[in-house]
Amino acid sequence: MHVIFATQNPNKVLEIQNQVGELHTIQSLLDLNYLEELEETQDTLQGNALQKARFVYQKFGKACFADDTGLEIESLNGEPGVYSARYGGPEKSFDKNMDSVLSKLHGKMNRKAQFRTVIALIDENGKEHLFEGICKGEILEKKVGKGGFGYDPIFQPESYQETFAELSLEVKNKISHRGLAVSKLIQFLNA
Ligand code: IMP
């Protein structure tokens, strides 16, 4: 099956194509030469994933999916959530985003958090399907580790003594929010 992944991030495409294997071909927006930024103006992860998938389905008329991810911190009432990319300001700096989280959590005992990914798939008949992946863990008091991206240096997944920024990509993909959501998508495509 041919499916469009509504993203311009080549790392995400590579990651997914690896998990999917040869049964399905994933085309990104880069493959289709579509370079304009997709709108994400909804106030939920599900809303944003659906907004991007619907836009691409209408534009190209083919099966497609889109994802949206947020870091949800219990004692911040689920923030930064859907605003994870720009929590420290409009420039979308990973460091500023983490600094903002660390200062808001200063002195708080409850540091429980989870990453949540929602994938919205629109099949070739226009029917919509949602898949969710959650990875639970906690926010450390400072940044640890050099790998990964985003909030990885301050997020330690449950049952691990390392942050996402210290774990190998292989381990991270196995236990991560995005990895779990993608597994559900693949199970569905293979059924
Ligand atoms: P996106 O929906 O995948 O673009 O993710 C939105 C924001 O969430 C990113 O800009 C990152 O700040 C954060 N994020 C998403 N996935 C991860 C991850 O696996 N580790 C750390 N931060 C992430």
Side-chain angles (χ1 to χ4, degrees):
M1 181 170 169
H2 253 89
V3 196
I4 299 174
F5 184 7
T7 185
Q8 285 136 345
N9 180 337
N11 296 315
K12 283 190 183 176
V13 183
L14 206 67
E15 204 177 287
I16 286 198
Q17 188 68 65
N18 261 338
Q19 266 181 275
V20 168
E22 288 176 5
L23 218 50
H24 311 285
T25 307
I26 309 292
Q27 263 188 318
S28 75
L29 294 180
L30 299 176
D31 297 322
L32 296 165
N33 265 327
Y34 187 83
L35 305 178
E36 276 172 56
E37 202 175 330
L38 297 182
E39 274 202 2
E40 293 180 89
T41 53
Q42 305 304 302
D43 57 8
T44 60
L45 298 175
Q46 174 176 333
N48 276 340
L50 279 169
Q51 181 180 21
K52 290 187 284 184
R54 284 173 186 158
F55 175 83
V56 169
Y57 185 76
Q58 271 159 22
K59 185 148 193 73
F60 296 100
K62 284 191 189 154
C64 67
F65 64 91
D67 70 334
D68 200 28
T69 295
L71 173 64
E72 300 173 329
I73 300 175
E74 206 172 272
S75 62
L76 300 181
N77 299 317
E79 281 187 18
V82 73
Y83 307 108
S84 293
R86 62 198 82 208
Y87 202 51
E91 64 270 45
K92 297 188 179 177
S93 148
F94 292 152
D95 260 319
K96 284 193 177 165
N97 289 344
M98 285 189 284
D99 291 342
S100 177
V101 163
L102 290 177
S103 77
K104 286 188 189 196
L105 278 183
H106 187 71
K108 290 209 196 291
M109 293 299 285
N110 177 4
R111 307 189 67 97
K112 283 189 199 157
Q114 65 179 26
F115 275 111
R116 191 160 65 90
T117 294
V118 175
I119 294 179
L121 167 75
I122 306 185
D123 67 25
E124 60 272 36
N125 302 315
K127 191 158 185 262
E128 296 176 349
H129 311 266
L130 292 170
F131 307 93
E132 184 183 73
I134 288 176
C135 181
K136 289 181 183 290
E138 63 176 318
I139 304 297
L140 300 188
E141 308 238 337
K142 58 182 174 55
K143 302 166 192 169
V144 184
K146 297 264 177 264
F149 70 100
Y151 297 90
D152 280 352
I154 58 170
F155 183 82
Q156 184 169 299
E158 239 172 48
S159 319
Y160 286 81
Q161 297 305 315
E162 299 93 358
T163 64
F164 263 168
E166 296 177 287
L167 291 170
S168 69
L169 199 58
E170 200 187 352
V171 172
K172 184 187 166 190
N173 287 344
K174 233 178 241 164
I175 61 169
S176 86
H177 41 294
R178 204 169 15 260
L180 295 172
V182 168
S183 296
K184 289 183 186 172
L185 168 72
I186 292 171
Q187 264 177 30
F188 179 85
L189 291 177
N190 289 349

